[in-house]
């Protein structure tokens, strides 16, 4: 019961003890004992002071403990490295952004990530319980190897999970970190979907489809009943190679007209017959171009062209997966904002569920979703067994204090 209770407070679904009581379907006394135990573990706070202006008997307010444990969340993307600490409750601290080291050697990159994360953990003085890293390429399960890491020219099958764990072992994480620090790596679109499901536009959805385009290519992810669907080897939902125009632009896979090459930032620039400034992040410029559709006819025509192809891709996915909600992020979020009716019409035309009008297509809400999702992954052992994970470190911390 402790794990589900912590998850409810963590995702904002149990802001009071009475909400916890009904969500867990237990007695008031049991909910009281559970919240007291989570408080004793230093994970949540229980506030029993009366709320101002409320009528009737106030319920104890539950919140994540602001001085509770943290995890290290990191993301490698085409424009650099981002690293942040996160507390429970999806509370991400201000990320540190670093340029990509010149060498695209994975060890150099991962050691830069581990050192930056360790610096943050040490400086915070808070218990650090884990680390997770988001990558812009497919990641195999359970071994955590990177496939087709096109941005960095890494050899396919680079054992990123092992290399990241090794760099974290070498880093100075300070006296309050769990040792060795559990760590994991995953694909960034999968993590963004997890972030949206727990803390954003996907809340309450049971079959959530997320489609996104960042720098180059398109990512997809599916969250079913709160868990990522990653397939037999971690490679499910590689939606980028869905064909949406057989005569379309060439894709890195060797084919033409994949969702990847028809609906990413480069595709939008090509449709507008414009060239992006190589000195500025491509996604940022593509977003500006999508927004310009309101006033600029050439940008409007380019947006409509790309939205039609995105709609074909989404319709194909809806027919196969039958989601109850689609969240669009990255450039696709801006395309939705620029042409919501057009996108909905293309999807509706091509699938039964779309025609029923019961499937919302909504914009992503979480800022730094890759990092927030990485934190979710790093929290998983604690949410599974708060007692074992949190109590383990409390004991270790006491040992340090006796010095
Ligand atoms: Zn392709």
């Amino acid at each position: 019961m402790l794990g589900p209770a912590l998850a409810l407070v963590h995702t904002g679904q149990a802001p009071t003890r009475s909400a916890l009581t009904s969500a867990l379907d237990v007695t008031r006394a049991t909910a009281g004992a559970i919240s007291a135990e989570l408080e004793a573990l230093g994970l949540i706070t229980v506030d029993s002071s009366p709320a101002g202006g409320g009528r009737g008997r106030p319920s104890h307010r539950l919140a994540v403990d602001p001085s509770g444990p943290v995890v290290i969340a990191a993301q490698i993307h085409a424009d650099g490295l981002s690293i942040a600490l996160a507390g429970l409750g999806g509370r991400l601290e201000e990320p540190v952004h670093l340029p990509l080291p010149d060498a695209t050697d994975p060890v150099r990159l991962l050691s830069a990530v581990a050192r930056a994360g360790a610096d943050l953990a040490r400086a915070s003085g808070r218990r650090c319980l884990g680390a997770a890293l988001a990558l812009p390429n497919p990641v195999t399960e359970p071994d955590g190897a990177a496939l087709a890491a096109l941005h960095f020219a890494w050899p396919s099958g680079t054992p990123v999970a092992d290399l990241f764990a090794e760099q974290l072992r070498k880093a100075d994480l300070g006296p309050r970190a769990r040792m060795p620090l559990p760590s994991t790596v995953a694909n960034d679109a999968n993590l963004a979907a997890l972030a949206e499901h727990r803390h954003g536009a996907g809340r309450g959805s049971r079959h959530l489809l997320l489609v996104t385009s960042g720098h180059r290519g398109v990512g997809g992810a599916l969250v079913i009943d709160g868990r990522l669907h990653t397939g037999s080897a971690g490679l499910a939902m590689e939606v980028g190679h869905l064909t949406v125009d057989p005569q379309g632009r060439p894709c890195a896979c060797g084919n033409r007209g994949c969702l990847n090459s028809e609906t990413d930032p480069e595709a939008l620039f090509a449709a507008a017959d414009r060239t992006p400034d190589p000195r500025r992040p491509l996604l940022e410029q593509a977003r500006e171009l999508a927004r310009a559709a309101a006033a600029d006819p050439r940008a409007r025509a380019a947006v409509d062209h790309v939205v039609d192809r995105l709609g074909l891709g989404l319709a194909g996915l809806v027919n196969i997966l039958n989601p109850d909600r689609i969240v669009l992020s990255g450039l696709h979020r801006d395309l939705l904002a620029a042409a919501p009716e057009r996108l909905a019409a293309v999807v509706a035309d091509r699938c039964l569920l779309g025609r029923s009008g019961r499937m919302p297509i909504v914009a992503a809400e979480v800022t730094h979703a890759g990092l927030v999702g990485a934190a979710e992954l790093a929290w998983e052992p604690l949410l599974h067994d708060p007692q074992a994970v949190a109590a383990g470190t409390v004991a270790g911390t006491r040992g340090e204090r006796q010095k």
Side-chain angles (χ1 to χ4, degrees):
M1 242 1 146
L2 276 188
L6 181 59
L8 287 164
V9 178
H10 168 63
T11 52
Q13 295 175 84
T16 62
R17 210 167 69 183
S18 62
L20 184 69
T21 305
S22 48
L24 291 176
D25 195 19
V26 293
T27 63
R28 277 170 62 129
T30 304
I34 289 170
S35 43
E37 193 167 353
L38 290 173
E39 188 179 34
L41 289 168
L43 300 173
I44 70 166
T45 57
V46 182
D47 179 3
S48 54
S49 64
R55 280 165 181 270
R57 194 169 161 181
S59 180
H60 295 53
R61 287 183 299 283
L62 308 179
V64 301
D65 187 334
S67 59
V70 289
V71 291
I72 297 169
Q75 183 166 16
I76 302 181
H77 45 88
D79 297 318
L81 314 174
S82 302
I83 303 105
L85 292 184
L88 283 165
R91 293 183 185 181
L92 194 73
E93 304 203 344
E94 191 55 34
V96 172
H97 300 287
L98 302 173
L100 284 175
D102 283 338
T104 47
D105 163 18
V107 172
R108 249 187 94 176
L109 245 170
L110 295 167
S111 111
V113 172
R115 273 184 279 120
D119 288 348
L120 294 174
R122 228 173 35 246
S124 78
R126 289 162 71 180
R127 285 183 289 162
C128 181
L129 297 184
L133 172 65
L135 294 172
N137 47 261
V139 178
T140 62
E141 287 179 354
D143 46 337
L147 301 186
L150 302 175
H151 292 309
F152 318 113
W154 293 352
S156 192
T158 297
V160 182
D162 292 347
L163 295 173
F164 186 43
E166 191 186 319
Q167 295 306 318
L168 283 167
R169 275 198 297 277
K170 290 182 185 165
D172 178 9
L173 290 152
R176 301 203 71 199
R178 192 175 174 202
M179 292 301 281
L181 192 70
S183 65
T184 178
V185 301
N187 167 262
D188 53 7
N190 279 343
L191 294 178
L194 208 51
E196 292 294 339
H197 184 268
R198 304 254 172 100
H199 303 289
R203 266 199 196 128
S205 157
R206 290 197 58 202
H207 292 82
L208 174 68
L209 170 65
L210 174 128
V211 177
T212 181
S213 180
H215 188 87
R216 191 194 299 162
V218 172
L222 184 67
V223 179
I224 303 174
D225 288 332
R227 302 208 66 84
L228 274 171
H229 171 72
T230 53
S232 61
L235 305 176
M237 298 302 295
E238 281 297 320
V239 303
H241 302 292
L242 212 67
T243 305
V244 291
D245 179 2
Q247 268 75 53
R249 287 158 44 79
C251 174
C253 72
N255 292 313
R256 280 188 171 273
C258 295
L259 195 62
N260 262 341
S261 52
E262 291 295 318
T263 69
D264 73 350
E266 283 182 5
L268 183 63
F269 272 96
D273 199 17
R274 281 179 196 169
T275 314
D277 178 350
R279 293 160 302 179
R280 294 181 53 213
L282 184 60
L283 176 60
E284 203 177 294
Q285 299 179 69
R287 287 189 150 147
E288 289 164 9
L289 184 53
R291 281 197 293 271
D296 171 349
R298 207 154 84 175
R300 165 55 57 194
V303 163
D304 288 351
H305 176 88
V306 174
V307 159
D308 287 351
R309 275 145 191 78
L310 176 60
L312 287 182
L314 294 180
L317 292 168
V318 168
N319 282 328
I320 295 167
L321 302 170
N322 189 10
D324 59 8
R325 197 176 308 170
I326 300 177
V327 172
L328 296 182
S329 105
L331 176 63
H332 293 170
R333 184 182 193 278
D334 301 84
L335 293 172
L336 171 67
E341 286 90 18
R342 191 178 182 105
L343 183 61
V346 179
V347 176
D349 259 4
R350 302 254 168 184
C351 56
L352 293 171
L353 183 62
R355 250 171 259 163
S356 74
R358 276 182 286 128
M359 192 204 37
I361 305 177
V362 300
E365 288 174 2
V366 177
T367 311
H368 302 304
L371 291 174
V372 172
E376 289 305 315
L377 204 59
W379 284 127
E380 231 136 67
L382 180 74
L383 295 173
H384 180 70
D385 190 347
Q387 175 76 45
V389 175
T393 15
V394 168
T397 308
R398 280 192 194 125
E400 289 295 332
R401 278 183 189 152
Q402 282 162 8
K403 278 186 193 165

